[in-house]
């Protein structure tokens, strides 16, 4: 995860440098750094194309948790974690197209989202047995397991839409997204173990969100309208709080 974030910043820096050479962009100016201006003349509708922003760093909790099917009969009932501080979300807006009309703006784009969820008990993980996904205890015989890194992970590409209003440097917005599951797996480290289980998650994720920013920094809250997991396992939804960079 850390490598992916560093690569994102590196790609952004290279892209900015390339545009700076070709277009006389001042990288000290945030508007030049984040925007490629496509507007013409004095039209009342101003269009802009952003690249590699907004970016968000967030923490999430699970709501509406229940246990169905394979999970309802597990002797590890209650294994999902409500602790917001241990469930991490990272999002990167790969493409962001904005249409401005006075103080109002409408934006749409393509977003990549990375989500990590831990368990209530650090020695718990999930394994696939046939078509079933079964929580289990990581064997104590694994002598170098550090009891901290057991997680389930999901990755999405989504189409977020926002409607907002600007008051000088302040921005308020509301929006939503439809996201498609790209990958899902269970993992733990020390020793490294990673099991592919994309079918554990709901293949479609719909969200609503709202936020506020001042300059390039902001905060947001997001709620998942669809269940995180396959619907025969749980109806758990995500409630996410985080920091925005570059709205």
């Amino acid at each position: 995860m850390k490598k992916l974030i560093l690569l994102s910043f590196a790609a952004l820096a290279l892209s900015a440098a390339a545009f700076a050479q070709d277009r006389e962009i001042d990288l000290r100016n945030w508007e030049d750094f984040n925007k490629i201006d496509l507007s013409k003349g004095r039209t009342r509708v101003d269009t802009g194309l952003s690249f590699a922003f907004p970016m968000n760093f967030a923490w999430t909790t699970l709501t509406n948790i229940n246990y169905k099917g394979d999970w309802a009969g597990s002797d590890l009932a209650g294994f999902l974690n409500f602790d917001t501080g241990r469930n991490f979300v990272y999002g990167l807006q790969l493409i962001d197209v904005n249409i401005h009309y006075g103080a109002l703006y409408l934006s749409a784009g393509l977003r990549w989202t990375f989500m990590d969820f831990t368990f209530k008990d650090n020695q718990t993980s999930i394994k696939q047995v046939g078509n079933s996904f079964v929580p289990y205890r990581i064997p104590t015989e694994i002598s170098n397991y550090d009891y901290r890194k057991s997680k389930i992970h999901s990755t999405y590409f989504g189409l977020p839409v926002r409607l907002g209003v600007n008051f000088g440097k302040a921005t308020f917005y509301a929006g939503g997204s439809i996201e498609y599951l790209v990958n899902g797996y269970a993992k733990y480290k020390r020793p490294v173990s990673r099991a592919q289980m994309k079918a554990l998650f709901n293949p479609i994720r719909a969200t609503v969100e709202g936020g506020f920013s001042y300059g390039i920094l902001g905060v947001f809250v997001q709620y998942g309208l669809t269940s995180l997991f396959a619907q025969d396992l749980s109806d758990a939804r995500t409630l996410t709080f985080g920091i925005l960079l570059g709205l």
Side-chain angles (χ1 to χ4, degrees):
M1 178 58 197
K2 293 180 181 178
K3 292 181 179 178
L4 289 173
I5 295 175
L6 290 174
L7 286 173
S8 298
F9 279 110
L12 175 62
L14 291 172
S15 299
F19 278 108
Q21 288 181 343
D22 294 340
R23 301 190 176 218
E24 297 182 354
I25 292 176
D26 183 358
L27 296 183
R28 294 169 298 180
N29 186 323
W30 170 254
E31 291 299 323
D32 286 343
F33 181 65
N34 191 42
K35 303 288 184 181
I36 306 169
D37 190 7
L38 302 179
S39 60
K40 293 184 179 180
R42 295 187 177 182
T43 178
R44 296 178 65 188
V45 178
D46 173 40
T47 61
L49 176 65
S50 302
F51 59 98
F53 277 103
M55 184 183 297
N56 64 61
F57 303 88
W59 295 265
T60 189
T61 188
L62 297 174
T63 67
N64 199 37
I65 291 181
N66 59 354
Y67 297 86
K68 300 188 293 187
D70 298 333
W71 288 2
S74 170
D75 58 359
L76 295 177
F79 61 91
L80 295 175
N81 196 341
F82 295 89
D83 188 351
T84 305
R86 295 181 59 198
N87 300 322
F88 181 71
V89 179
Y90 171 69
L92 177 64
Q93 196 99 339
L94 302 173
I95 300 173
D96 191 29
V97 179
N98 297 276
I99 299 176
H100 299 269
Y101 188 86
L104 298 175
Y105 77 91
L106 176 68
S107 73
L110 176 65
R111 180 168 63 197
W112 174 77
T113 301
F114 170 108
M115 307 186 80
D116 260 353
F117 299 89
T118 60
F119 300 98
K120 188 173 182 179
D121 182 339
N122 290 328
Q123 201 175 334
T124 301
S125 189
I126 292 179
K127 61 183 177 181
Q128 185 170 2
V129 181
N131 293 322
S132 300
F133 295 94
V134 181
Y136 74 103
R137 300 278 291 178
I138 299 171
T140 54
E141 306 87 71
I142 302 178
S143 59
N144 58 338
Y145 175 57
D146 68 1
Y147 299 93
R148 293 188 298 114
K149 300 293 186 178
S150 182
K151 300 177 181 180
I152 48 177
H153 163 90
S154 56
T155 303
Y156 305 85
F157 278 116
L159 301 173
V161 176
R162 297 190 305 272
L163 179 63
V165 59
N166 297 313
F167 297 97
K169 292 185 177 181
T171 299
F172 295 87
Y173 83 91
S177 68
I178 295 292
E179 303 181 347
Y180 175 74
L181 179 69
V182 177
N183 199 4
Y185 52 84
K187 63 179 181 178
Y188 59 84
K189 296 182 179 180
R190 299 176 188 175
V192 175
S193 173
R194 174 169 162 160
Q196 188 68 225
M197 49 184 66
K198 185 176 177 181
L200 172 68
F201 297 93
N202 191 336
I204 300 297
R205 180 171 180 261
T207 69
V208 291
E209 63 185 81
F212 165 78
S213 68
Y214 187 84
I216 66 171
L217 293 176
V219 293
F220 75 99
V221 59
Q222 180 191 82
Y223 180 70
L225 298 174
T226 52
S227 58
L228 175 67
F229 302 106
Q231 293 185 354
D232 59 346
L233 295 174
S234 176
D235 295 319
R237 266 71 166 170
T238 55
L239 179 60
T240 303
F241 309 87
I243 300 169
L244 284 167
L245 176 62
L247 178 63

